Amino acid sequence: MDVVNQMQRQFVDYSTSLHREGILDDQFTQLQKLQDENSPDFVVEVASLFFEDCEKLINNMARALEQQGVDFKQVDASVHQLKGSSSSIGAVQVKNVCIAFRSFCEAQNREGCLRCLQQVTHEYSLLKNKLQTLFRLEQQILAAGGSIPVIE
Amino acid sequence: MVLGKASSSSLSMKSDEDVVNNNNNLRVLVVDDSPMIRKLHDMYLKKFGLEVQVAENGKNAVELFRFGASFDLILMDKEMPVMDGAEATKELRAMGVKSMIVGVTSLDSPYEKQVFMEAGLNYCFNKPLIADNISFLLQELNKNNNDKN
């Protein structure tokens, strides 16, 4: 079997699995559709900005939750921002944790917030690994002279 | 006034080229403190043939207008440091800015969205902005421009 075809098949299967597992939603597909020959690295660039955002916001939340007197409004502001970013890239599981997280902020429940922080950190790490794998598969296809299949 | 995502069912079917050609002279300002959102909206808008400028917060947006810049459409985030979207919208309207100002926000409560609308927005959409929202806004913009001519 042609090596490029095999890689393309692998890419499609992997991409489909990310949607099936509920890690990414249609918003991510919309981003992929925006990418073209004038901006061939658009999705990777958006993802990198998202990862930077996540790390900064998760650090902010952790610091705020460590304080003696937790400023729940401050925690909530960071969660709110993360919710916005994650829904814009299609990171549905990160977004869902943020929704629960906001409820705990509103209830000023520190334990609940700490659990959500752990969960959001986990979901973010999982997503980052999966996306990096996806991007690696793309690079392999391009290096072998193939084109990235369009996933509908 | 419209809250939430616009329906695309009433949009006329135009070829991609027609849409881009119609939009070639429309200027858009994207105001958002997130580099990721700025990049995303910039890309969406360029696909529609629009000229895009970005600003990091409400204060920068207001200053652009004070220095004589003009835009047909402003996409305004709500939560921003230095000056938020509602404050910036109020200032722009007080300055006499008549451009279409559209809130783009991840605010959950209808009450918060209504408060943002009352600052002087024409429309308010939830993040993330999607192609249908932009199509709708461009139709409205082109309609306004045709009415003026």
Side-chain angles (χ1 to χ4, degrees):
Chain A
M1 200 178 173
D2 181 39
V3 166
V4 170
N5 277 345
Q6 236 177 342
M7 289 189 210
Q8 286 170 328
R9 165 109 261 147
Q10 210 183 353
F11 171 81
V12 169
D13 288 346
Y14 193 72
S15 199
T16 311
S17 74
L18 294 182
H19 285 82
R20 207 178 37 240
E21 288 165 30
I23 293 176
L24 291 173
D25 68 14
D26 184 59
Q27 180 62 17
F28 188 76
T29 313
Q30 298 305 316
L31 296 194
Q32 289 175 306
K33 286 182 181 169
L34 286 175
Q35 186 162 290
D36 59 21
E37 55 281 352
N38 295 326
S39 310
D41 300 318
F42 173 68
V43 181
V44 169
E45 286 168 0
V46 171
S48 303
L49 289 171
F50 174 67
F51 297 150
E52 278 172 27
D53 241 0
C54 278
E55 278 162 32
K56 182 189 84 182
L57 292 168
I58 287 174
N59 282 339
N60 288 350
M61 293 169 204
R63 266 201 311 275
L65 286 167
E66 272 167 18
Q67 304 305 311
Q68 276 280 60
V70 176
D71 183 348
F72 285 98
K73 272 207 161 79
Q74 198 184 4
V75 181
D76 184 64
S78 295
V79 179
H80 171 82
Q81 252 193 288
L82 183 58
K83 180 173 166 256
S85 302
S86 56
S87 55
S88 297
I89 198 176
V92 68
Q93 280 175 347
V94 175
K95 181 191 80 176
N96 287 343
V97 177
C98 289
I99 293 172
F101 204 153
R102 294 202 77 193
S103 304
F104 285 117
C105 289
E106 209 173 333
Q108 307 210 350
N109 180 335
R110 188 169 176 267
E111 285 312 308
C113 283
L114 285 169
R115 274 198 307 274
C116 283
L117 179 64
Q118 212 174 12
Q119 248 184 299
V120 95
T121 307
H122 168 77
E123 291 300 340
Y124 157 67
S125 299
L126 187 70
L127 175 69
K128 188 173 180 184
N129 283 342
K130 302 254 177 195
L131 282 180
Q132 284 173 337
T133 302
L134 190 72
F135 297 147
R136 245 192 329 269
L137 288 172
E138 279 186 349
Q139 287 310 308
Q140 283 170 359
I141 294 170
L142 294 171
S147 61
I148 312 297
V150 173
I151 317 254
E152 291 299 331
Chain B
M1 289 185 186
V2 173
L3 289 176
K5 293 181 186 169
S7 144
S8 61
S9 56
S10 59
L11 295 178
S12 58
M13 299 304 293
K14 284 188 174 199
S15 73
D16 283 352
E17 217 179 276
D18 283 343
V19 169
V20 168
N21 286 339
N22 270 352
N23 299 329
N24 268 348
N25 53 356
L26 290 175
R27 285 162 47 79
V28 186
L29 177 64
V30 172
V31 191
D32 201 301
D33 61 329
S34 161
M36 184 197 137
I37 301 289
R38 288 199 301 268
K39 189 177 186 71
L40 199 58
H41 288 166
D42 177 85
M43 188 61 153
Y44 263 128
L45 295 165
K46 283 190 169 134
K47 284 282 179 181
F48 280 86
L50 295 159
E51 196 185 311
V52 184
Q53 205 165 330
V54 298
E56 284 184 358
N57 59 54
K59 182 160 182 272
N60 289 358
V62 168
E63 275 170 7
L64 279 171
F65 275 89
R66 257 196 244 286
F67 286 124
S70 76
F71 297 93
D72 300 286
L73 171 64
I74 303 164
L75 295 180
M76 184 79 79
D77 182 26
K78 168 73 170 62
E79 310 288 339
M80 292 181 286
V82 185
M83 186 190 283
D84 78 5
E87 201 52 53
T89 303
K90 281 185 205 157
E91 282 248 6
L92 290 171
R93 292 304 189 207
M95 281 163 64
V97 171
K98 300 268 184 282
S99 315
M100 186 181 287
I101 307 181
V102 175
V104 185
T105 172
S106 37
L107 286 173
D108 292 322
S109 93
Y111 170 72
E112 284 174 320
K113 280 201 200 97
Q114 192 58 38
V115 168
F116 194 10
M117 282 293 294
E118 282 164 8
L121 299 179
N122 296 91
Y123 304 100
C124 190
F125 291 124
N126 284 336
K127 274 182 195 178
L129 216 55
I130 56 175
D132 281 356
N133 300 143
I134 299 172
S135 294
F136 168 79
L137 291 174
L138 293 177
Q139 260 209 339
E140 293 302 303
L141 271 174
N142 284 320
K143 221 192 290 176
N144 292 346
N145 284 346
N146 289 339
D147 287 346
K148 276 187 214 150
N149 295 338

